[in-house]
Amino acid sequence: MKDGSFHVLIYTAIFFILGMIKPKWPLFFLKQPSRFIIIAVSTVGFMVGATMYGEAMRQEKLAQKKVESTQITSPAAELPTVK
């Protein structure tokens, strides 16, 4: 999921840069594209990418805590070793 958020952020950055240079390129389907539309779409794209990244990091931390808690309370960890 982190990879997807990076892709969204990269595509949004490319969209923003191209749109600021020539708004007609990314908004080819509009008759009169403006830089305001580029800024609005880019803002939403950055928010989506940042939210996806934050959620991926939260899920990763939860999974790490779950692994750590199962390692601590695992019955196999409490058994003595026989030599």
Side-chain angles (χ1 to χ4, degrees), residues 4-45:
S5 64
F6 284 128
H7 289 204
V8 168
L9 290 171
I10 289 170
Y11 291 141
T12 303
I14 291 170
F15 179 82
F16 178 74
I17 291 168
L18 287 176
M20 287 294 114
I21 295 170
K22 290 257 187 183
K24 190 76 170 165
W25 290 347
L27 299 176
F28 60 89
F29 50 88
L30 295 177
K31 289 184 181 180
Q32 293 185 349
S34 68
R35 286 184 173 89
F36 180 74
I37 296 171
I38 299 291
I39 291 172
V41 171
S42 296
T43 302
V44 171

